[in-house]
Amino acid sequence: MNETAAILEVKNLARDVPTKNGPKTIVNDISYNFEKGRIYNIMGPSGAGKSSFLRLINRLDEPTRGQVIFHGENFNQCPACGLRRKIGYLFQTPYLFPGTVRDNLLYAEDKLTEDDIQRLVKQSRIPPGIIDDDVENLSIGEKQRVALARLLAMEPEIILLDEPTSALDPTYTKAIEDLIKCIVKERSLTVIMVTHHPEQALRMGGQALLLVAGRLVETGTADEVVKNPKTEMGRRYRDMEMQ
Ligand SMILES: Nc1ncnc2c1ncn2[C@@H]1O[C@H](COP(=O)(O)OP(=O)(O)OP(=O)(O)O)[C@@H](O)[C@H]1O
Ligand SMILES: [Mg+2]
């Protein structure tokens, strides 16, 4: 596989869920290639299927139709737990285990040396003085950075972020955004991030995918999709969100 080949490919990906009115397609026939070392912003109105799409990528949910192909291999053939180390997922609100920051990092990877821990803490902008503090006492912004450090401890190739800053105030939001951009550069990570805010997609840069009613309706650079959409749906979303 050459450098520009897709690290992750979704092909005709779809998920139906049962409802009292019969099955509903919440992710509808999405095909797309994600490349290594890039940022992808998943945008769209509430209920568009952004979280559902993200969950299919690391098998938090199983697709009804279609495929997810990771490094050229159909993901159904990869064991889910191994896959989840390579394709990490950061939840909207930080989800940590009881114990200290250090415990949380070691829980993710018990072979971490003291040097590894110091490096992760530094890279995730965690104040060094809190390594042995109970995570229960940390601020939400600190917790989100610990959650990110724990994810990085597993050395993922792709990280999936579902509105990672929605619970944070603007200062922490900017810090997490900068941190993610830095990590993408340092580690050549692929980031797929759901965002509710077109301004955030512009700040993150990279590519954007616009979902409406489960379908992928527009793709391009974040700048193009936000400011200069090619489709009627894209223009409607811009006019609704950017007024
Ligand atoms: N397990 C489920 N059963 C029934 N409906 C579901 C299920 N999961 C999601 N949905 C529906 O699928 C649609 C897409 O949901 P999803 O959470 O992916 O949207 P979203 O784009 O992430 O929205 P938001 O921006 O509000 O987070 C919604 O209408 C939701 O109610
Ligand atoms: Mg969502």
Side-chain angles (χ1 to χ4, degrees), residues 47 49-52 92 162-163 194 196:
K50 304 182 294 297
S51 300
S52 306
Q92 208 162 355
D162 194 352
E163 301 196 42
V194 171
H196 236 97

Side-chain angles (χ1 to χ4, degrees), residues 55-232:
R55 293 172 63 84
L56 290 176
I57 294 179
N58 81 338
R59 289 172 68 186
L60 281 169
D61 292 325
E62 295 292 328
T64 311
R65 293 174 295 286
Q67 295 176 319
V68 178
I69 296 162
F70 180 53
H71 284 303
E73 210 181 319
N74 187 337
F75 87 168
N76 281 327
Q77 278 133 31
C78 312
C81 59
L83 193 83
R84 288 202 191 112
R85 291 183 75 85
K86 292 183 184 154
I87 308 181
Y89 193 105
L90 192 72
F91 291 88
Q92 208 162 355
T93 44
Y95 172 73
L96 299 171
F97 297 107
T100 65
V101 173
R102 185 189 299 276
D103 294 339
N104 268 272
L105 297 180
L106 287 168
Y107 192 85
E109 175 52 72
D110 59 9
K111 294 185 191 71
L112 289 180
T113 63
E114 188 56 33
D115 280 355
D116 296 333
I117 292 176
Q118 295 297 338
R119 191 172 35 83
L120 281 168
V121 161
K122 189 164 174 221
Q123 192 169 37
S124 307
R125 317 280 191 275
I126 297 169
I130 66 168
I131 295 184
D132 292 303
D133 287 2
D134 198 311
V135 292
E136 212 179 298
N137 303 325
L138 305 185
S139 74
I140 182 119
E142 287 167 345
K143 281 185 185 163
Q144 194 58 302
R145 278 179 273 177
V146 175
L148 193 59
R150 204 181 52 185
L151 205 62
L152 294 175
M154 292 189 250
E155 309 238 314
E157 294 180 45
I158 300 177
I159 53 175
L160 309 175
L161 310 160
D162 194 352
E163 301 196 42
T165 60
S166 63
L168 308 181
D169 68 26
T171 320
Y172 276 135
T173 295
K174 182 80 178 37
I176 292 279
E177 287 171 357
D178 290 345
L179 177 55
I180 292 165
K181 283 193 280 186
C182 233
I183 292 167
V184 167
K185 274 208 197 117
E186 280 171 21
R187 297 196 174 211
S188 202
L189 261 179
T190 303
V191 168
I192 307 176
M193 171 166 156
V194 171
T195 177
H196 236 97
H197 306 289
E199 301 81 8
Q200 184 164 51
L202 291 176
R203 289 195 298 271
M204 294 304 291
Q207 306 294 302
L209 291 80
L210 177 64
L211 267 57
V212 176
R215 288 187 181 275
L216 179 57
V217 299
E218 179 118 13
T219 59
T221 65
D223 217 60
E224 283 164 358
V225 173
V226 172
K227 293 186 184 160
N228 219 350
K230 298 185 281 289
T231 63
E232 182 53 36

